[in-house]
Amino acid sequence: MSDARATAMAIDALRRGWPIAIRGADGMLALLPIETADPARLAAFDPAGSAPVLLSAGRAMTLKLANQRAAAAPDAPVLVERVAWLDFATATALADPQLDLGTPLKGPFRAIPVAQTQAAGAALTLARIAGMLPAFFAAADGSAALTITPDDIACHEDASRLTVATHARLPVAGAEQAEIYAFRTPEMPGEHVALVIGTPHGQPPLVRLHSECLTGDVLGSLKCDCGPQLDAAIAAIQASGWGILLYLRQEGRGIGLINKLRAYALQDQGFDTVDANTRLGFAVDSRNFAVAARMLTLLGQERVRLLTNNPEKVAQLEAAGVTVVERVPHVLPSNPHNAQYLATKRDRTGHQF
């Protein structure tokens, strides 16, 4: 029986720099988070100084580990052999690509086989959920006060656990006849919301899946097109007569605000959004739109017109049982700050403008 509460406790422990353990089908790994721990905690966790460093394949490729250059999955686990010079400071430089230009990396480093592949993969997923760098000291024979399983972590992101918490009337700029619905799971730290605009008229609603973007939606960032997309989506739904805006708590394509800002820093070094995410050790897009399908199902809508340029949203909704009867393009003008970002969407992530 999985327990998503254990995952919430594990996230809290990682953010505090405490070790945890993950028990998978092929063995257990004790893990110390590099981002939030320190040398003293490492000495207590691994007094022998033998625990290797767990990274993602995407990050390992940037470190030029020879057997990782062709890695297909940037969020797959990789173990880096522990050697005498791989102390806490060096591990921090290995973990955070923002430090690459300022911290000449020692080496050479060597990837070693990952015996506990399920636990190692779950650890990288847990780091993403926690909004942390996917990097740990990992010990097969280590100990930790808290042990969880990959099933616990999967339960934390289980869309089927989502329920409607409450709803209320909410007139908004551009759509005065609207209601807001809040959705949550018992474990989720934040809530997804749906803005239902207008009155059903017998046709499938126009639906927009909008992922949270603090910098764009609230602060008016020009690096992306999120804020204008949000405003234009509300206007388009209002003009269509009725529809639904789903506001999904999946900041930074699912990697969280802090990691998104780290990706911004890498973009300032010349990397595009795809390479920035993979250098950090994450998938190109970590969002799970099954949660959007669940929200639509709870609202009684299983046939929709989808306002999007992203075919992956269509595919994931269809896979989760929501029929997309029409894909409606959602195209806005670029500005000098986001032109490359939009070109990357088109050329590298399959967006259709």
Side-chain angles (χ1 to χ4, degrees):
M1 177 72 69
S2 59
D3 184 357
R5 294 172 300 176
T7 301
M9 294 170 63
I11 290 170
D12 180 68
L14 293 182
R15 289 180 172 174
R16 295 172 186 270
W18 298 343
I20 66 162
I22 299 178
R23 181 181 290 108
D26 48 8
M28 186 176 79
L29 279 179
L31 302 151
L32 184 73
I34 292 173
E35 179 180 342
T36 51
D38 54 43
R41 291 180 182 181
L42 175 59
F45 174 78
D46 179 35
S50 60
V53 171
L54 173 64
L55 300 172
S56 75
R59 180 58 179 150
M61 290 174 67
T62 71
L63 300 172
K64 302 188 185 306
L65 294 176
N67 57 345
Q68 293 303 319
R69 288 177 184 160
D75 53 350
V78 173
L79 279 179
V80 179
E81 184 180 32
R82 188 75 175 274
V83 289
W85 61 83
L86 212 173
D87 57 10
F88 192 85
T90 303
T92 300
L94 287 180
D96 191 347
Q98 294 179 96
L99 305 178
D100 285 352
L101 295 182
T103 307
L105 295 176
K106 301 176 182 179
F109 300 105
R110 185 171 75 92
I112 58 177
V114 182
Q116 303 86 0
T117 55
Q118 189 183 35
L124 300 181
T125 298
L126 185 62
R128 173 182 59 76
I129 294 172
M132 296 172 57
L133 289 170
F136 301 88
F137 284 98
D141 56 352
S143 61
L146 176 64
T147 299
I148 64 173
T149 70
D151 286 343
D152 295 332
I153 298 170
C155 185
H156 187 84
E157 294 194 304
D158 184 358
S160 69
R161 299 170 66 85
L162 202 67
T163 59
V164 177
T166 190
H167 69 97
R169 189 177 68 87
L170 183 70
V172 299
E176 295 185 16
Q177 186 180 349
E179 284 188 293
I180 188 168
Y181 288 74
F183 303 78
R184 68 183 177 195
T185 72
E187 308 81 26
M188 187 183 298
E191 297 80 24
H192 302 288
V193 300
L195 188 69
V196 180
I197 296 170
T199 303
H201 48 46
Q203 298 300 315
L206 182 63
V207 171
R208 171 68 183 167
L209 313 187
H210 187 91
S211 296
E212 176 182 35
C213 180
L214 174 70
T215 49
D217 298 342
V218 178
L219 301 178
S221 168
L222 298 176
K223 287 177 68 72
C224 64
D225 57 347
C226 299
Q229 279 194 337
L230 178 61
D231 294 337
I234 291 174
I237 293 171
Q238 172 71 12
S240 75
W242 95 285
I244 303 169
L245 174 80
L246 301 185
Y247 197 84
L248 307 173
R249 305 299 293 274
Q250 298 181 340
E251 180 85 51
R253 294 182 183 169
I255 65 175
L257 176 62
I258 290 175
N259 283 323
K260 183 179 84 168
L261 298 182
R262 290 180 172 129
Y264 278 1
L266 291 176
Q267 290 169 36
D268 289 341
Q269 295 178 17
F271 300 100
D272 66 22
T273 52
V274 169
D275 289 336
N277 273 28
T278 57
R279 288 181 77 88
L280 282 167
F282 299 106
V284 173
D285 193 335
S286 298
R287 290 175 293 180
N288 177 4
F289 296 112
V291 69
R294 172 67 174 170
M295 293 166 72
L296 290 169
T297 300
L298 289 171
L299 292 172
Q301 304 303 320
E302 297 184 351
R303 290 173 55 83
V304 303
R305 301 169 59 230
L306 191 62
L307 185 63
T308 187
N309 306 317
N310 186 354
E312 183 61 22
K313 291 182 178 179
V314 176
Q316 288 200 32
L317 284 189
E318 294 269 4
V322 173
T323 300
V324 178
V325 299
E326 180 187 4
R327 184 185 73 82
V328 180
H330 193 43
V331 181
L332 296 169
S334 64
N335 67 62
H337 301 278
N338 71 11
Q340 182 181 359
Y341 164 81
L342 295 175
T344 300
K345 276 187 173 184
R346 180 194 65 224
D347 299 337
R348 302 196 65 187
T349 61
H351 284 61
Q352 299 173 357
F353 295 106

